Structure formats: C-alpha cells, structure tokens
Amino acid sequence: MIIRITLIALFGLLVFLGEGAVFGETAKTESVAARLNLTKANLFLAAGDYRRAVEACQKEINDAPSAESYIHLTYVYHAIDAYLEHLSQEEQWMAVEHLYLNLAYRDTEDLIDPPGGLARMAKEMIQSSVRQQSDVSAAMANRIDKAESDRLWVEQAEWRATNPKTWWQGVPTAWMR
C-alpha cells in the first residue's frame, strides 16, 4: 500500500513538473535563456573579442529587444573606444592592429584575402564608427525604457569609477546576475 501511494505521489509530481515543459518555460528559465547572448557578450568582452561581443549583443537585440540589450551594446562600443584610447596613449600600435583585425575578420576567406590598414588610421576609423553606433544604440535604449537605461548607466558609471584603467575588459558586476 505504501509503495502504491509513493508511486502515485511520484507520478503526480512528474505530471506537475512536466506541465511547465509542456505549457511553456518558467519565467526564470526564460530569463536565463534570454540573457544567454549577453552572458556570451560579457565573456567575449573579457577575452578582448570585441567583434563577437558586438555580435552577441546584436543577436540579443534581435531575439529579445530591451533597454538592457541596447545598453549592453552601447557599453561594448564604449569599451572598444576606451580600449583604443588606452592603446594609443601607451603607443601600442601593434595591439591596435590586432583589434582592427579582430573587428575586420569574419570568415576563413579573410585568411587568404586579409583586410589591411595602418594602425593609426584604423584607430580613427574604428573610434569614429563605435562612437556613432553607441549614440544610436543608447538612444534606442532610452526610447524603450528610460528609467531602466538610467539605472544601467548609473551601474556602469560606478564600474568605470572603480576600475578606471581596465573597465573596458569587463562589465559591471551587477550585470553578471
């Protein structure tokens, strides 16, 4: 009798737990899935793979547009700009060329027909582009949710103040939830 009650209880539990999978994911699962691209962007940013960080943010905007996703993209653009500025102040022109190549290379065809460019010229072109794109994505974030945009910018401003020489290598701790 106890085995039968236990089996019925287990079956009921399986049916109960299975309803979430049958009728849709829970809010927490959706939140985790929706943030996967931003988590990837954070890792790419930490690795210095700025092209993939931008692409992951753009994918998040395509999959689940929000003020947060636009702010993340804007932050990545700002990080590229700050990193370039740091490299030029340190006169690390080879690293500027590496960043240029990271942003320019997309496929294996680039290995046999590589994009070229002088480091100082590449720096100016990249900075000009990322500054324009960051303005555009920041404006989009504000149009979606001004209060959320303001909150996220306060967090990133605190992060920049806390990590003035390396903030572009990662994202605010609060964004890693």
Side-chain angles (χ1 to χ4, degrees), residues 39-54:
T39 300
K40 286 180 181 180
N42 297 346
L43 290 172
F44 290 137
L45 190 61
D49 191 346
Y50 294 100
R51 178 179 53 84
R52 285 191 177 91
V54 168

Side-chain angles (χ1 to χ4, degrees), residues 12-81:
L13 182 61
L14 285 173
V15 169
F16 175 74
L17 292 176
E19 280 187 14
V22 173
F23 296 109
E25 296 178 20
T26 64
K28 184 176 180 180
T29 305
E30 287 175 359
S31 174
V32 169
R35 294 193 39 87
L36 182 60
N37 292 314
L38 296 182
T39 300
K40 286 180 181 180
N42 297 346
L43 290 172
F44 290 137
L45 190 61
D49 191 346
Y50 294 100
R51 178 179 53 84
R52 285 191 177 91
V54 168
E55 289 171 349
C57 288
Q58 289 171 334
K59 182 163 177 21
E60 181 66 20
I61 289 169
N62 289 336
D63 294 349
S66 66
E68 181 181 15
S69 57
Y70 280 107
I71 292 294
H72 254 78
L73 177 60
T74 305
Y75 183 86
V76 172
Y77 287 138
H78 286 191
I80 294 169
D81 185 34

Side-chain angles (χ1 to χ4, degrees), residues 65-157:
S66 66
E68 181 181 15
S69 57
Y70 280 107
I71 292 294
H72 254 78
L73 177 60
T74 305
Y75 183 86
V76 172
Y77 287 138
H78 286 191
I80 294 169
D81 185 34
Y83 181 52
L84 277 168
E85 198 58 39
H86 168 75
L87 292 175
S88 67
Q89 287 174 357
E90 298 291 319
E91 294 196 19
Q92 295 182 12
W93 298 109
M94 183 63 76
V96 171
E97 286 186 38
H98 291 165
L99 175 61
Y100 172 78
L101 294 173
N102 172 253
L103 294 171
Y105 275 64
R106 293 196 178 272
D107 297 307
T108 55
E109 292 85 28
D110 291 331
L111 296 174
I112 57 174
D113 186 20
L118 299 171
R120 292 171 202 263
M121 210 166 70
K123 175 195 174 284
E124 295 302 320
M125 290 185 320
I126 294 167
Q127 279 189 312
S128 175
S129 295
V130 298
R131 287 174 181 171
Q132 289 172 344
Q133 290 301 314
S134 69
D135 290 344
V136 170
S137 59
M140 291 176 180
N142 281 337
R143 288 179 69 153
I144 291 174
D145 188 339
K146 175 105 170 80
E148 178 69 357
S149 295
D150 291 344
R151 184 187 70 76
L152 292 168
W153 283 117
V154 167
E155 288 176 2
Q156 71 83 30

